[in-house]
Amino acid sequence: MTAAISGLPPADGWTVDDLYALPDDGVRRELIDGALHVSPSPTSVHQVIAMRLGVLLEQTCPEHLFVSQANDVELSPNRMFIPDVLVTTFEAARRRTGSFLADEVVLVAEIVSPGSQSVDRVLKPALYAKAGIPHYWLIETDGGLTVQTYRLNGDAEAYEPSGTFTDVVSTDSPWPIEIPVAALRPRNL
């Protein structure tokens, strides 16, 4: 009997397959080294920032890439995260499963929330880098909006800072991008 059917956690830890066997009940589940992590639904401000970032990235995204929000990214059989915004290959997006493998993902962006600070600032970038995802963006919302961009140093399996932006995100990679940070801010804030 699988863990999903029995309702008990597997003795040797959860796998991505175990998560997919669970009912589609709208619960946001991520997997960290076989440990199930359930996070609350994002706030409305968080969702607006993610939506606006996705739209702004999509406007300049090259044809061979695809921008999406809140899809599963499988880093390994016992690691899966749901980034706030992601850019994947168009070929992978054509499969339309809503789940991507790490080697199909070009960029992940996480918006820091009060309950996700350590995970978004430390754990996720370390594991995204280990999985080989080339670009990581971290959006801080405390005290105004700040976008920090990182590029993978493949030899070190770690990210290196490539910019900190409070006015305009300006980068040449993964494609030339110019995004006014104020355009990410929800109206009336």
Side-chain angles (χ1 to χ4, degrees):
M1 181 180 307
T2 68
I5 296 170
S6 72
L8 299 174
D12 54 349
W14 291 88
T15 67
V16 170
D17 289 339
D18 291 330
L19 291 190
Y20 289 142
L22 293 171
D24 187 7
D25 55 7
V27 175
R28 187 178 171 103
R29 296 176 181 95
E30 295 181 305
L31 195 57
I32 304 169
D33 295 334
L36 188 61
H37 180 76
V38 179
S39 56
S41 295
T43 66
S44 57
V45 169
H46 182 281
Q47 292 296 76
V48 169
I49 293 169
M51 175 184 66
R52 287 176 178 240
L53 177 61
V55 167
L56 291 166
L57 287 172
E58 200 272 334
Q59 288 175 349
T60 62
C61 184
E63 296 272 331
H64 70 282
L65 297 176
F66 186 83
V67 180
S68 190
Q69 282 183 262
N71 293 111
D72 298 343
V73 175
E74 299 176 26
L75 305 180
S76 72
N78 65 352
R79 290 182 183 152
M80 184 180 77
F81 289 132
I82 306 170
D84 296 317
V85 176
L86 66 144
V87 177
T88 187
T89 65
F90 184 76
E91 185 61 35
R94 288 174 56 152
R95 289 186 288 116
R96 298 179 190 218
T97 64
S99 176
F100 299 101
L101 301 175
D103 65 358
E104 299 169 326
V105 178
V106 175
L107 165 70
V108 292
E110 297 287 358
I111 301 161
V112 177
S113 299
S116 70
Q117 294 174 24
S118 296
V119 171
D120 290 341
R121 292 178 184 146
V122 180
L123 183 64
K124 283 187 176 184
L127 296 179
Y128 285 144
K130 186 162 182 60
I133 296 175
H135 299 275
Y136 181 70
W137 288 15
L138 185 68
I139 300 171
E140 298 280 354
T141 59
D142 197 21
L145 287 179
T146 302
V147 179
Q148 298 170 348
T149 61
Y150 300 86
R151 289 186 186 158
L152 182 64
N153 176 332
D155 294 335
E157 291 185 333
Y159 289 115
E160 296 176 344
S162 56
T164 298
F165 307 96
T166 57
D167 187 32
V168 176
V169 178
S170 181
T171 183
D172 62 350
S173 187
W175 67 88
I177 299 170
E178 296 268 334
I179 296 175
V181 174
L184 301 176
R185 188 180 327 282
R187 291 184 310 148
N188 305 324
L189 286 184

